[in-house]
Amino acid sequence: MLRKLVFLAVVGVFLVDATCDTTIFVACQDKFADKLGIDRYAFCYSRLNPLGLTLQIQDIYINGGVAAERGLNVVCNAYNSMVQCLSDASTTTFECFDMGYLLTHSSAPNQAYSYGFLMSMLQYQCGAGFYLASDNWQCMQRIYNGKNATMYGCITDFVLNAQEDPKRGCNYVQTGMDCFSKASTLQGCPDELKYYGCESFRQYSLPQFARCDKQCTIDTQYRGI
C-alpha cells in the first residue's frame, strides 16, 4: 500500500474521494459504445485498451457514421449520451473520470491514464472546441484522414514517455501540443485549426499534468477578437 501511495505522489496525481458506481459506469459506457456503433463485446476490450479506443474514435472522425453522419457528431453524441446517462443516475464524469477511481479500477497505471486522457480530450472536443472543429469539419476530416498515424503517434509517445519518466512530464506535454498543432496544419485550411489541435492535446494531458503551465496560442486576428 505504501509503495502505491509513493508512486501516486511521484506522478503528481491529486486523488479525491470519488464515489463512482462501477455498475452504472459500465452501463453508461455501453451506451457510449452503442452510439459509436462499436460492438459491446469489442468495446469491453477497448476499455482495457484505451489507446485502441482512441484510434477507433479517430477512425470514426475520418469515416463518419451510418447514413453518412459526420464523425464529429457521432462521437460527440455518443460522449454526451454517456454523460447524460451518468447524470440520470445521480453521478458525474468528475467522479467516474477521477484518476484516483480509474487507477483503483484498472489493471495498470497506463490503462487508467490513457482512458482519463481520452475522456478529457473528448470533453474539450465535444464542448468548448466543438464549433471550431464543426465550422471547419471538411478540413479536420482531411487532417485526420491524412495524418491519422502521426496524431496517434503523438499520443502513444506521450503516454509511454510520461509514465516512464513523469518528472519530465511537462516537457512531454509541450512536445505533444507541438505535435498535434503541426499535424493540424493543412494547405487551404485556417491556421486557427493549429490552436484546435494544440488545445486538444493540452486537454488530453490535464488528468495527470494540470500542474504544467502550458498554453496554446490563439490567432486573435483570424478569430476577430
Side-chain angles (χ1 to χ4, degrees):
M1 179 64 177
L2 179 60
R3 290 179 61 188
K4 183 175 181 181
L5 290 175
V6 169
F7 170 77
L8 294 178
V10 168
V11 298
V13 179
F14 180 74
L15 302 183
V16 299
D17 185 18
T19 57
C20 180
D21 185 306
T22 300
T23 301
I24 292 172
F25 188 32
V26 170
C28 292
Q29 287 182 96
D30 284 341
K31 288 192 174 184
F32 183 49
D34 291 343
K35 291 286 187 178
L36 286 175
I38 299 175
D39 178 81
R40 286 188 178 186
Y41 179 81
F43 186 74
C44 182
Y45 171 75
S46 295
R47 282 199 297 262
L48 302 177
N49 178 27
L51 287 175
L53 178 58
T54 301
L55 188 58
Q56 286 179 297
I57 287 175
Q58 288 187 187
D59 287 341
I60 293 172
Y61 280 156
I62 295 168
N63 299 313
V66 296
E69 185 178 5
R70 293 194 315 173
L72 180 66
N73 295 48
V74 173
V75 171
C76 290
N77 285 339
Y79 175 81
N80 289 331
S81 72
M82 177 169 59
V83 173
Q84 185 62 52
C85 176
L86 292 171
S87 177
D88 290 344
S90 299
T91 189
T92 66
T93 55
F94 175 80
E95 294 163 338
C96 292
F97 296 162
D98 168 69
M99 286 312 308
Y101 170 81
L102 292 175
L103 283 164
T104 302
H105 292 80
S106 299
S107 60
N110 270 7
Q111 182 188 94
Y113 283 117
S114 297
Y115 189 86
F117 291 153
L118 175 60
M119 292 300 112
S120 182
M121 182 166 67
L122 289 181
Q123 184 178 39
Y124 168 72
Q125 293 182 338
C126 297
F130 178 82
Y131 287 105
L132 177 54
S134 181
D135 291 346
N136 299 283
W137 187 244
Q138 286 188 338
C139 277
M140 283 308 306
Q141 189 176 32
R142 287 167 52 206
I143 287 168
Y144 277 111
N145 189 39
K147 302 183 181 181
N148 197 17
T150 298
M151 298 175 88
Y152 185 65
C154 301
I155 285 174
T156 54
D157 286 350
F158 168 75
V159 171
L160 295 176
N161 289 333
Q163 303 316 310
E164 181 71 23
D165 186 9
K167 291 182 179 180
R168 298 189 63 213
C170 292
N171 293 335
Y172 298 134
V173 171
Q174 186 64 61
T175 298
M177 288 164 57
D178 292 342
C179 186
F180 252 51
S181 179
K182 183 177 180 180
S184 300
T185 303
L186 194 66
Q187 186 174 3
C189 294
D191 286 343
E192 194 176 19
L193 292 181
K194 292 191 294 185
Y195 170 81
Y196 175 80
C198 175
E199 186 63 18
S200 289
F201 195 91
R202 192 182 77 85
Q203 295 289 330
Y204 183 85
S205 72
L206 288 182
Q208 187 176 2
F209 296 106
R211 60 183 170 80
C212 300
D213 185 21
K214 304 295 182 182
Q215 298 296 327
C216 297
T217 302
I218 301 176
D219 185 342
T220 55
Q221 183 176 1
Y222 180 86
R223 292 170 65 89
I225 297 175

